[in-house]
Amino acid sequence: MWVRTIVVVLVALVGRAGADDLRTAQQHLDAGVALYGAGNFADARVELAAAQVLAPDKPNPYRWLALVDVRLGDCASALVHIESFAARVAADDARLGELVRLRDQCRSIGHIRVVSSPTGATVRVDQRATPMMTPADLALSVGSHVIVVGKPGFESVTQTVEAHAAGVDEAMFTLPVAAVAEPHHRWWLWTTIGVGVVAIAAGTTYALTRGRDDPRLPPIACDATGCR
Amino acid sequence: MPVRWLALLAVVGCGGDGDPCGATAGTCATIRVTSTGIARVDSLELDVSYGDGHGTAITMLAAPAALPVETGVALDVTLPVGLGVVVAGRLDGQVLGTGFAATELAGGATLVVAIEPPAMVCVATGTYCGGDKVAGDPETLYRCGAQGMAYARGACASGCQIGTNRDDTCYGGGPRCTTGTRYCGGDKVDGDPRTLYTCQADGTGVTSEACVNRCEVVAGHPDTCR
C-alpha cells in the first residue's frame, strides 16, 4: 500500500506542474469517493491524499479523508482533517454537522494496546471477560478502566489505565510465576481425606438437588412463521 | 482415582435423566448451555436463525438451576438447514451472559453454547456484526436489544462490515446499484438486510422502507418487502 501511496502522490506532484491541477484533483477525489463507497478504505485514502496534495485549499478532500480515517480506526488523523475542513468552509456549511458528530465520537474513544510477558494471557476489562489474548488492542470509552491480565501458571496482574480521546496508549503487564505449593510428605493421608470429603459433598449435593434443580428447560418450536 | 471422582461429579452436575427434545415431534436440536463464569440461570432467551426463517423465544425454569442447562429447538422446516442460535442466560430478569453456536442441521443434533458476560456492551438499537460487541455469526447483522441481547436482522451475502463509530452494516458488494431502484441492504447497497433502500447516483442507498418481516432479493427486479 505504501508503494502505491508514494506512486500516486508522486504522480499528483508531477501533475501539479501541469495546467489543470484542480481537474486532476477532482479525478482523484472521485476515485477516492468511489473506493470509499466500495468499502475499500485503504485505497480510498491513497486517492484522497493525492487530491488533497493537488488542491490543498479545497475543503472536500479533507472531509472525505476524515470520513475514511474514521473507518480505518485512525481517529487522531480524522480530527486533524476535520479541523482542516472546518477552517476552509463557512460556519453554516451543511456538511459541518456530520463532521462535528464524528469529532465528538472520536473524542469519546481511546485505544489501549495491552501487552504482557508472557504473551497469550486473557484480558478482563472492568470486571468483564473479553475474548482477546495479549497482545490485544482495545477500543474503550475515554476515562479510567480496570484491566486484569491472567494466565494459568502465573499470578494475575491488575492495572487501572486511562483511555485518552483519540489516543493510542500501551499498558504492559509482567506476570509473576505463580508460587508452587510444597508437596506434603504424607500425601496418601491427605489424598484419602480429600477423596472422602469429595464423596460426602457429592452425595449431599446430589441428594439435596435431585428433583429440585432440574437443568432442562421446555423446548421451543420454530416454523416458517417464527418461534414459540 | 481423581479422574473417577471427576466423572462422578460430572454426572451429578448433569442432574436430569431425559432429553429436552424427547417429547417433541420432528427435527429437534438440543441446546446445551454452559459457562465458565456464570453459575445459575432461571430462563433462556433464544434468537434462532434457520435458513430464511428467524424467531425469538424465551423458555423458563420453575426455579434457578446451575449450568449447564439444556433446552431444545424443534424445527418444522425442510432439511438440511443452517441453524444459528444466540442464547442469553437470565436470572431475575437480568441478562448474565450471551453466546452463540451454529451448525448445518440434517437431523437431530446437540449445540453447545457457551455464554459469558459481554466484554463490551452494545448500544441498544444499534446494528452489529456477530462477534462485534454481540454474540453471533460474523456474517450476520444483528440489532442490539436490552442488556446486550442480539436479534438477527439477516445474513449478509457479501459480508458484514464493522463500522468505526457508526453502525455495522451488510456490505453491498460495491457501488453497482441502478439509480432510483430499490434494494435490500447488502444487495448492491450497504445496509440492513431487513430494510429497503433507494439507490442514489453515488452508489449509496437511502432508506426507503423498513420491512416488517423480511426483505426479499429479486434477481433482475427491484427488491421488495415480504
Side-chain angles (χ1 to χ4, degrees):
Chain A
M1 176 183 153
W2 285 111
V3 173
R4 183 161 182 221
T5 303
I6 292 167
V7 170
V8 173
V9 171
L10 279 176
V11 168
L13 287 171
V14 171
R16 247 185 135 165
D20 204 348
D21 288 354
L22 289 181
R23 192 177 61 189
T24 309
Q26 186 63 47
Q27 290 169 348
H28 284 294
L29 181 65
D30 291 343
V33 172
L35 287 164
Y36 177 90
N40 186 347
F41 305 123
D43 287 342
R45 199 188 190 293
V46 173
E47 295 293 344
L48 296 169
Q52 184 267 326
V53 167
L54 285 167
D57 296 330
K58 293 291 182 185
N60 221 14
Y62 295 101
R63 168 176 174 254
W64 282 101
L65 278 168
L67 292 171
V68 82
D69 279 337
V70 167
R71 300 297 294 266
L72 289 169
D74 185 358
C75 263
S77 297
L79 287 173
V80 173
H81 294 311
I82 291 169
E83 295 307 317
S84 299
F85 176 81
R88 287 165 175 76
V89 296
D92 60 351
D93 189 290
R95 296 165 295 181
L96 264 179
E98 174 192 30
L99 293 186
V100 167
R101 283 194 296 276
L102 269 186
R103 182 180 65 192
D104 292 344
Q105 288 174 353
C106 272
R107 286 175 175 171
S108 68
I109 290 177
H111 290 263
I112 302 289
R113 179 168 173 78
V114 180
V115 295
S116 72
S117 176
T119 58
T122 58
V123 180
R124 292 179 66 86
V125 180
D126 298 334
Q127 298 184 319
R128 294 179 184 277
T130 77
M132 300 177 180
M133 309 287 270
T134 58
D137 291 311
L138 306 175
L140 301 172
S141 57
V142 168
S144 294
H145 298 274
V146 177
I147 296 179
V148 181
V149 173
K151 185 170 186 171
F154 296 85
E155 292 182 17
S156 297
V157 175
T158 302
Q159 282 186 33
T160 299
V161 301
E162 190 77 14
H164 300 96
V168 180
D169 296 283
E170 182 171 290
M172 173 68 192
F173 293 75
T174 302
L175 310 184
V177 176
V180 179
E182 185 179 336
H184 199 284
H185 293 300
R186 290 191 291 176
W187 61 270
W188 53 269
L189 173 63
W190 294 108
T191 300
T192 305
I193 293 173
V195 167
V197 168
V198 168
I200 293 168
T204 305
T205 302
Y206 183 63
L208 290 176
T209 60
R210 183 175 170 83
R212 183 173 63 84
D213 200 9
D214 189 347
R216 284 169 296 154
L217 296 93
I220 66 172
C222 302
D223 57 24
T225 61
C227 298
R228 289 160 293 280
Chain B
M1 179 67 85
V3 174
R4 289 180 188 169
W5 278 110
L6 285 175
L8 172 60
L9 288 174
V11 171
V12 170
C14 287
D17 50 3
D19 179 355
C21 282
T24 62
T27 304
C28 182
T30 298
I31 310 297
R32 183 177 175 84
V33 181
T34 67
S35 179
T36 57
I38 297 168
R40 300 168 76 80
V41 298
D42 61 12
S43 65
L44 299 175
E45 183 171 8
L46 283 78
D47 184 83
V48 188
S49 299
Y50 42 102
D52 291 333
H54 171 256
T56 300
I58 294 176
T59 179
M60 303 181 72
L61 286 160
L67 293 179
V69 297
E70 289 185 346
T71 186
V73 173
L75 292 169
D76 183 13
V77 295
T78 304
L79 298 178
V81 66
L83 173 65
V85 183
V86 177
V87 176
R90 298 175 184 271
L91 185 65
D92 293 332
Q94 296 296 310
V95 172
L96 303 182
T98 58
F100 170 77
T103 189
E104 186 70 16
L105 197 65
T110 297
L111 260 73
V112 178
V113 183
I115 61 170
E116 302 297 347
M120 283 171 262
V121 179
C122 57
V123 177
T125 75
T127 56
Y128 296 85
C129 303
D132 176 32
K133 301 183 185 66
V134 299
D137 171 20
E139 299 303 320
T140 296
L141 192 70
Y142 296 84
R143 186 174 296 289
C144 174
Q147 301 181 47
M149 177 61 182
Y151 303 96
R153 302 291 296 171
C156 300
S158 300
C160 194
Q161 55 186 18
I162 296 174
T164 303
N165 295 325
R166 48 160 284 178
D167 278 347
D168 296 347
T169 184
C170 282
Y171 178 47
R176 52 197 176 93
C177 58
T178 302
T179 304
T181 301
R182 303 212 301 175
Y183 296 89
C184 303
D187 176 34
K188 300 182 182 65
V189 297
D190 295 354
D192 170 20
R194 275 169 64 180
T195 298
L196 269 177
Y197 299 83
T198 300
C199 176
Q200 302 298 289
D202 63 358
T204 62
V206 293
T207 301
S208 171
E209 181 182 355
C211 300
V212 175
N213 296 314
R214 66 189 180 93
C215 192
E216 185 173 275
V217 175
V218 182
H221 302 280
D223 297 344
T224 182
C225 285
R226 291 290 182 194

